[in-house]
Amino acid sequence: MSAPSTTATARVATAVVATAFGGPDVLAVVTTDVPAPGPGEVTVDVRAIGTNPVDHKLFSGLMGADASTLPRPVGMELAGVVSAVGERAGEVAVGDEVIVSGISGAYASAVTVPVSAVVPKPASASFEEAAGVMLVGGTAVHLLTATSVAAGDTVLVHGVAGSVGLVAAQLALHRGASVVGTAAPHRHEALRAFGIVPVAYGEGLADRVRAAAAGGVDVALDTVGTDEAVDVSLELVADRDRIATIAAFGRAPEAGIRLLGGGPGADPGTDVRDGARPGLAAALGAGELTVVVARTFPLTEAAAALSFVAEGHAGGKVVLLP
């Protein structure tokens, strides 16, 4: 990044907020003030915003419904260009292209954020790709770290065509592991291009995985949370410490497998996920990691975008464009 620059002008931006607790229909497009950056802060003009299922969960009411938090900012990750920097903002300068993650209120045309939430965007990556890498990437790194995936392992990824599953598979392959992944048949050709061995989910899955992984399965990563995913993982992986799920909250405790994420009883892995950001940006820039952008929506159509995400069949990241 270039030498620091400083400016301190307040801004007005378009943002999307939740006006109540409920479905995506409670979202509203508003005009909001963007404060000038203070010490250790930068203002970013947003170019693309990553959407995630957790965005809706946070205003759905399922994780609390404190009316005093309304209207509630939405969104946790974006990519854009720095337009102002405060004092003590390190080497970040006006004009730098950056990735921002771990914030509240990413659904906006401009934001002021702590510089600690910012990493440089690789020049080779599009803003759309960069906006969608950090949350799924941090989750994927957490899955691999918790199960100690290493060279020579055979890893079964349930839901490998999804955003988290595909990033986890790519990172596992980069570590020298082999990957077998469950996906609908129409996804298989694209998955083979990544070096993944795809198998169809459904009745007989365990036998299909055995055929695809003749040497056995060392690790199972569940991103879908179905009984099938848990049952097949338990059947094929001897060491339950090497089975991890981000979705099977009801089954994980009784099955004695690792539960990761933000739900009750789960290991949030905050340090692992936050620490993964520079490496994810580097992998994206080096072409070692591909983020599949399935569809884009205008920022003003955030409700439609989250409804599409909720269907669970996007086949990649859904990105908002201001």
Side-chain angles (χ1 to χ4, degrees), residues 35-48:
E41 293 181 332
V42 298
T43 298
V44 178
D45 288 349
V46 180
R47 297 289 185 267

Side-chain angles (χ1 to χ4, degrees), residues 2-320:
S2 53
S5 301
T6 301
T7 184
T9 304
R11 298 279 303 281
V12 174
T14 300
V16 173
V17 299
T19 59
F21 292 97
D25 58 301
V26 305
L27 296 180
V29 180
V30 300
T31 299
T32 185
D33 292 330
V34 180
E41 293 181 332
V42 298
T43 298
V44 178
D45 288 349
V46 180
R47 297 289 185 267
I49 303 151
T51 69
N52 297 278
V54 70
D55 296 345
H56 176 225
K57 289 179 183 178
L58 290 172
F59 66 84
S60 67
L62 297 176
M63 301 176 69
D66 181 357
S68 69
T69 64
L70 299 172
R72 190 184 186 106
V74 182
M76 302 175 70
E77 63 178 347
L78 60 89
V81 179
V82 175
S83 58
V85 300
E87 298 177 354
R88 300 194 296 278
E91 296 300 313
V92 181
V94 170
D96 287 342
E97 296 183 350
V98 295
I99 305 172
V100 180
S101 59
I103 66 167
S104 176
Y107 287 20
S109 60
V111 293
T112 294
V113 298
V115 72
S116 59
V118 172
V119 297
K121 182 187 82 65
S124 59
S126 70
F127 284 106
E128 291 84 354
E129 292 170 323
V133 70
M134 289 301 170
L135 265 70
V136 295
T139 302
V141 170
H142 192 194
L143 282 164
L144 269 62
T145 301
T147 54
S148 303
V149 171
D153 283 334
T154 296
V155 181
L156 170 61
V157 180
H158 295 281
V160 74
S163 295
V164 174
L166 186 56
V167 173
Q170 292 177 77
L171 295 177
L173 290 166
H174 188 62
R175 291 188 181 196
S178 300
V179 176
V180 177
T182 68
H186 71 277
R187 307 280 190 195
H188 288 192
E189 182 177 355
L191 292 169
R192 289 189 187 99
F194 285 97
I196 298 163
V197 179
V199 294
Y201 46 74
E203 186 176 353
L205 175 59
D207 290 337
R208 288 191 294 277
V209 174
R210 286 190 183 96
V217 176
D218 302 293
V219 177
L221 308 178
D222 168 36
T223 72
V224 294
T226 61
D227 285 336
E228 175 187 70
V230 175
D231 291 341
V232 169
S233 298
L234 292 171
E235 182 176 345
L236 298 181
V237 178
D239 185 353
R240 294 192 176 188
D241 281 343
R242 304 198 78 189
I243 303 173
T245 180
I246 60 171
F249 289 92
R251 293 288 308 277
E254 68 180 39
I257 62 178
R258 294 185 179 274
L259 179 61
L260 312 180
D267 168 18
T270 303
D271 290 344
V272 172
R273 296 180 185 219
D274 289 351
R277 293 172 184 172
L280 290 167
L284 185 65
E288 298 168 356
L289 181 61
T290 297
V291 175
V292 175
V293 177
R295 187 171 173 182
T296 62
F297 287 79
L299 174 61
T300 53
E301 296 180 15
L306 285 185
S307 295
F308 181 65
V309 170
E311 294 174 4
H313 302 291
K317 291 296 296 186
V318 177
V319 175
L320 299 174

